[in-house]
Amino acid sequence: MASAAPTATPQRVVMVTGGTGLVGSAIKAYVESLGPNPNERWIFLDAVDGDLRQMSVTRGLFERHHPTHVIHLAARVGGLFDNMRDKVGFWRDNIMINDTVLQCAHDFHVQKCVSCLSTCVFPDKTTYPIDETMLHNGPPHFSNEGYAYSKRMVEMLNRLYHEQFGDNFTAVIPTNIFGPNDNYYIEGGHVIPGLIHKCYLAKKNHTDFVIWGDGSPLRQFIYSMDMAKLFHWVLYNYSDPSPVILSVDETDEVSIGDVAREVARAMHFEGNIVFDTTKANGQFRKTASNAKLRRLLPDFHFTPLRDAIQASVDWFVANYDRARK
Ligand code: GDP
């Protein structure tokens, strides 16, 4: 539901599409932690506010809220296994959503629009670490082609709107995000929330904790609360259509097996951890460089993975009944 704290005439109205998901709720918590600002109003849109694939619906939301700034998070997203099942659906839904939101941001003279991509849209066959300049240098991994190509088009559109109309549109490219309010769906969800849910059930039912694949793939994870702070910084301090990777350092890359052991530790799970090698591993690695971010924000402190996993496990256990799963 759109939440709009009434203020007189705020100078800035920030509308967040997909505002109640993992990143949107983290941004909301971060903005609230900064305290009230009479010059700013934040609107966090939810899926029930309208289907952004339809231009008339998106236009109606812009007419209603008149945003000066847009954080565009709404997307069809899913883990490896969901992506493999419906590539056409991932492509179409995201292309339609991005087309309506960016065109309305243009039509309504939005001062800044920041969209959210993902490092999983980078080329599969590449050299590492990957950086922002390499986005289109080869096909993405076959497992998520629909999603990846649709998201790559946002980077292109940001440049084209800038070149043709001078619009101030850009994007961030985070690595795997996790945290409170994630989608803890097991079948089609992402790995950390999936593992947290599976470990919770394994502990409760005294069964094995089953990890899909052999646990060797490497990933960089970013905690949603860190992502929220960085997103806020990009919104007000970064003005260039070229995207910025939001990632922990390359030395903080971890294997899925180690992440599973951290989840088990945080959950106080003492049963067996087993690897189901009949399930896909997906991409082996997609190591991203955060050199650009470090140049812009050298002192940013990322929450240690152990602390962030503990906070997410604690949130899931405390909110089991209401968690999306
Ligand atoms: P990706 O980073 O885009 O590939 O997406 P995911 O967040 O789905 O991570 C997938 C990696 O975690 C693959 O190596 C999977 O084999 C592994 N994995 C292990 N257990 C799970 C699980 O329960 N759910 C998911 N989604 N992936 C798992």
Side-chain angles (χ1 to χ4, degrees):
M1 188 78 67
S3 54
T7 54
T9 40
Q11 291 164 357
R12 294 189 294 259
V13 177
V14 187
M15 187 167 84
V16 184
T17 71
T20 57
L22 171 62
V23 179
S25 58
I27 292 175
K28 187 162 190 247
Y30 178 62
V31 169
E32 283 169 2
S33 78
L34 298 176
N37 180 348
N39 291 326
E40 207 174 66
R41 178 151 52 101
W42 286 75
I43 294 144
F44 292 90
L45 297 177
D46 183 87
V48 300
D49 290 311
D51 180 349
L52 298 176
R53 291 174 300 183
Q54 296 178 42
M55 185 55 100
S56 59
V57 171
T58 307
R59 193 166 287 281
L61 288 164
F62 275 76
E63 273 163 3
R64 182 162 157 218
H65 298 295
H66 283 285
T68 57
H69 294 67
V70 171
I71 289 184
H72 176 36
L73 305 174
R76 167 97 181 269
V77 294
L80 167 65
F81 298 91
D82 236 12
N83 266 281
M84 289 200 295
R85 264 192 295 270
D86 186 18
K87 294 181 184 179
V88 173
F90 273 86
W91 158 267
R92 295 196 66 222
D93 287 347
N94 286 312
I95 286 291
M96 288 189 276
I97 292 170
N98 295 334
D99 181 61
T100 71
V101 171
L102 292 189
Q103 182 58 32
C104 285
H106 167 73
D107 288 343
F108 285 78
H109 309 292
V110 162
Q111 292 166 30
K112 180 79 166 278
C113 176
V114 187
S115 300
C116 193
L117 313 185
S118 159
T119 47
C120 69
V121 316
F122 274 110
D124 178 35
K125 303 264 183 295
T126 181
T127 53
Y128 295 101
I130 306 169
D131 70 34
E132 292 84 351
T133 65
M134 296 156 75
L135 189 60
H136 303 286
N137 292 358
H141 193 257
F142 72 92
S143 60
N144 71 342
E145 293 174 278
Y147 175 83
Y149 276 117
S150 72
K151 283 285 184 173
R152 285 186 187 188
M153 294 304 105
V154 174
E155 189 278 337
M156 180 203 61
L157 272 181
N158 286 344
R159 277 188 289 111
L160 299 191
Y161 274 105
H162 182 73
E163 274 170 34
Q164 197 169 333
F165 306 110
D167 287 318
N168 193 3
F169 296 171
T170 192
V172 295
I173 311 183
T175 52
N176 294 35
I177 313 162
F178 71 101
N181 292 299
D182 208 340
N183 186 347
Y184 287 84
Y185 176 47
I186 293 178
E187 275 311 310
H190 284 111
V191 57
I192 290 192
L195 291 178
I196 290 176
H197 193 175
K198 286 198 288 194
C199 190
Y200 176 90
L201 294 177
K203 183 177 171 188
K204 187 169 150 214
N205 302 326
H206 305 286
T207 51
D208 290 344
F209 175 24
V210 182
I211 318 308
W212 295 340
D214 64 12
S216 66
L218 300 171
R219 295 289 184 271
Q220 286 155 303
F221 292 96
I222 180 165
Y223 186 40
S224 58
M225 297 301 166
D226 293 343
M227 170 85 184
K229 287 183 202 164
L230 291 170
F231 228 121
H232 190 269
W233 179 85
V234 168
L235 184 70
Y236 290 135
N237 298 282
Y238 178 78
S239 283
D240 193 295
S242 65
V244 189
I245 290 174
L246 303 184
S247 172
V248 296
D249 299 330
E250 286 158 55
T251 47
D252 290 325
E253 190 171 51
V254 284
S255 73
I256 297 295
D258 283 345
V259 168
R261 284 181 276 276
E262 283 297 329
V263 168
R265 183 189 162 279
M267 191 73 77
H268 304 294
F269 172 77
E270 283 162 6
N272 295 323
I273 300 179
V274 298
F275 293 88
D276 178 355
T277 52
T278 65
K279 298 270 196 189
N281 266 341
Q283 251 174 301
F284 176 63
R285 64 190 294 215
K286 32 193 177 178
T287 321
S289 163
N290 67 2
K292 183 172 179 178
L293 177 70
R294 285 289 187 208
R295 264 198 312 278
L296 295 163
L297 265 185
D299 298 326
F300 187 80
H301 172 74
F302 287 95
T303 309
L305 184 65
R306 175 167 287 186
D307 297 351
I309 287 182
Q310 186 70 60
S312 307
V313 164
D314 292 346
W315 183 90
F316 181 73
V317 172
N319 294 279
Y320 183 73
D321 291 336
R322 75 175 180 97
R324 287 182 295 157
K325 55 188 185 304

